[in-house]
Amino acid sequence: YMIRRDLCELGNKNYNKVVAGALREMQAAADPVDAFFTYMVSLTGDASRLPSDTELLRSAPSKAIYNSMGSQKLRSVLSGVERALRDKFDEDVTVSTANLTVEHIMPRHWAKNWPLPSGKMAPTEDAYALLLTNEDMWSEVEQRESIKNTLGNLTLLTTSLNPSLGNAGWDEKRSAISKSLLVLNRDVAEHAVWDEIA
């Protein structure tokens, strides 16, 4: 419930009332699990409702959630993605996310090592600094900055690998993450280019 609301940026100010209402409904019911589910889907206001699967899939990919969700929640979301990507041919490896950190695939400070879609190198990640001097580059930088903190540009890495890669270019990052035990990282490493489209 909380992670879905975070991914849709719906806020958390009404949780105390939602929890109290859910507990009240569960205590009064013969089947507390059913009562909990029924109560949660009955909530309709933006301050308390449970986002639907459709809303979640429409909203979450475009939200810059890196700065708005805590690292534990992001690890939980990315771990869920990892479990969903595994199939019967993958080793049954239980990976604890407690020792993994959330990492940007395209780093926050990308200008030095990550060319823009046009092939040009930006002098800075600051789109506003380019607004007056280079309008064409400004739009590319603004687009890149808008996707940099989204779920699609985040992954899980070990605490030692994460800082060693830092702001490295795609070839170096790709080589390192292609050896990961996580399907999530191996799938990302299959891309010859990591850009806004990927």
Side-chain angles (χ1 to χ4, degrees):
Y1 171 74
M2 293 187 304
I3 288 174
R4 277 177 176 255
R5 288 186 58 82
D6 282 351
L7 287 170
C8 293
E9 293 183 336
L10 289 173
N12 59 11
K13 67 179 181 177
N14 210 31
Y15 286 171
N16 58 339
K17 293 178 185 174
V18 171
V19 170
L23 291 173
R24 218 176 15 258
E25 294 295 319
M26 292 168 67
Q27 288 174 337
D31 183 348
V33 174
D34 184 56
F36 175 76
F37 177 76
T38 301
Y39 175 76
M40 295 306 285
V41 297
S42 75
L43 301 172
T44 57
D46 277 350
S48 57
R49 69 182 167 79
L50 175 67
S52 68
D53 291 351
T54 302
E55 180 181 3
L56 183 66
L57 291 172
R58 185 179 63 242
S59 177
S62 63
K63 302 293 183 187
I65 60 170
Y66 181 80
N67 294 323
S68 63
M69 284 183 77
S71 61
Q72 287 182 322
K73 287 181 185 175
L74 282 173
R75 275 197 307 267
S76 176
V77 169
L78 291 167
S79 294
V81 170
E82 170 65 20
R83 285 189 301 277
L85 289 173
R86 289 189 168 272
D87 61 28
K88 66 180 182 177
F89 301 108
D90 289 306
E91 300 87 355
D92 188 19
V93 177
T94 303
V95 178
S96 169
T97 60
N99 63 342
L100 299 177
T101 59
V102 177
E103 165 73 356
H104 288 80
I105 300 166
M106 179 183 298
R108 287 185 280 185
H109 303 290
W110 51 264
K112 183 178 177 185
N113 296 310
W114 293 71
L116 293 166
S118 64
K120 297 176 186 174
M121 296 301 288
T124 178
E125 294 89 12
D126 185 357
Y128 296 107
L130 298 170
L131 186 57
L132 298 175
T133 59
N134 191 331
E135 193 171 328
D136 291 338
M137 190 176 284
W138 169 79
S139 62
E140 285 188 283
V141 170
E142 184 181 48
Q143 171 64 23
R144 177 159 291 175
E145 284 295 296
S146 74
I147 62 93
K148 165 174 85 172
N149 290 316
T150 60
L151 187 58
N153 191 47
L154 301 175
T155 194
L156 295 170
L157 296 175
T158 64
T159 53
S160 56
L161 183 58
N162 186 347
S164 74
L165 292 176
N167 299 325
W170 176 234
D171 290 340
E172 186 178 343
K173 276 198 168 185
R174 182 182 186 200
S175 174
I177 67 174
S178 68
K179 300 170 188 142
S180 175
L181 293 176
L182 298 180
V183 176
L184 171 65
N185 290 334
R186 294 193 314 261
D187 279 1
V188 166
E190 288 180 7
H191 291 270
V193 174
W194 190 260
D195 60 9
E196 291 76 356
I197 295 169

